[in-house]
Amino acid sequence: MSTTASDYTWFPDRFPGLMEAYCLTLVKGLTPGGLLDRLGATQECRVTGAEELLEPAHQAWQEHHGDRLFVGATAVGDWALAVEPNGYLGTLDEVIIPLSKGTRLVSHFRNVNAVDHFFWLDDGDLRLHFEPLFPTGRDGSDPDGLVEVMRQIGFDLSEDDDASYELHTEATFALAEHLTRIRLTPELLESATYVCGSAPVPGR
């Protein structure tokens, strides 16, 4: 195990706006445009740099009142990365189960209240879901298959009151890298061009 939570300690400092509330979703084998199409998003603009997604995401909230969410998508190797500032499409069963059909999907989410989620799906099957702040409460078809990996990455899986909550968000990035072989770096997020649009929220 070479990647750990300590490899992602740059995220809060370099991307404070995203750290406050974000959802990142990686889907193998899709183009950025193809990912937006599967989300039912209308392609509206292109921006360079993840921090440049914050303002249009805020505007989308004001315009659509939460009925549609802003998504920026870019290519990372043979994966498509969707970045949602203050979004949560990558946490919804109605979105991620069909989006993962025939491929692998990994997503993680954190909101302003430090509520967080991690998802790993293969071909519509939810293999693993848990809250990174509370990594001992796992579900899915393979909830324990990555226990040793999670421990080595930096999740504290002890059940006692002395459990550490440090770097749990950074550990989600490391676990996503383990499952995708995609290492996100500040330079990548800052230099990437994102195809952007707003996607409907199922049930709204």
Side-chain angles (χ1 to χ4, degrees):
M1 176 59 58
S2 59
T3 301
T4 68
S6 63
D7 292 301
Y8 285 94
T9 54
W10 50 264
F11 183 65
D13 293 332
R14 296 287 287 270
F15 300 93
L18 283 177
M19 179 65 178
E20 185 173 324
Y22 77 88
C23 185
L24 300 181
T25 304
L26 282 155
V27 187
K28 188 174 184 180
L30 293 184
T31 64
L35 191 154
L36 291 182
D37 288 344
R38 286 203 186 188
L39 292 176
T42 57
Q43 296 188 28
E44 299 166 356
C45 64
R46 290 174 180 262
V47 303
T48 299
E51 287 290 290
E52 298 302 315
L53 299 170
L54 299 178
E55 181 57 30
H58 175 69
Q59 292 175 354
W61 268 101
Q62 291 186 320
E63 179 179 352
H64 301 295
H65 308 289
D67 291 335
R68 299 180 70 88
L69 296 177
F70 183 83
V71 183
T74 192
V76 186
D78 59 350
W79 294 69
L81 168 67
V83 180
E84 298 180 71
N86 199 32
Y88 58 89
L89 289 170
T91 71
L92 301 177
D93 287 348
E94 303 95 323
V95 173
I96 58 179
I97 290 176
L99 192 56
S100 71
K101 287 294 186 180
T103 189
R104 170 167 289 189
L105 179 151
V106 175
S107 69
H108 48 105
F109 157 92
R110 173 188 171 117
N111 72 9
V112 69
N113 298 314
V115 174
D116 53 6
H117 293 279
F118 184 96
F119 298 86
W120 161 31
L121 292 89
D122 280 338
D123 192 20
D125 174 33
L126 176 62
R127 303 290 302 280
L128 173 66
H129 163 254
F130 66 97
E131 295 180 54
L133 193 59
F134 306 105
T136 57
R138 301 177 301 276
D139 59 86
S141 64
D142 189 19
D144 300 325
L146 292 179
V147 163
E148 188 55 36
V149 171
M150 291 174 66
R151 185 175 288 112
Q152 292 178 28
I153 279 172
F155 286 106
D156 188 337
L157 300 180
S158 59
E159 300 274 2
D160 55 45
D161 293 337
D162 295 327
S164 172
Y165 300 107
E166 294 183 1
L167 301 184
H168 64 278
T169 296
E170 293 82 352
T172 63
F173 280 81
L175 186 57
E177 179 181 338
H178 173 80
L179 287 166
T180 64
R181 305 305 181 196
I182 295 295
R183 171 166 289 199
L184 298 182
T185 65
E187 294 78 17
L188 186 154
L189 293 175
E190 288 170 347
S191 65
T193 296
Y194 299 85
V195 181
C196 305
S198 59
V201 178
R204 297 276 312 229

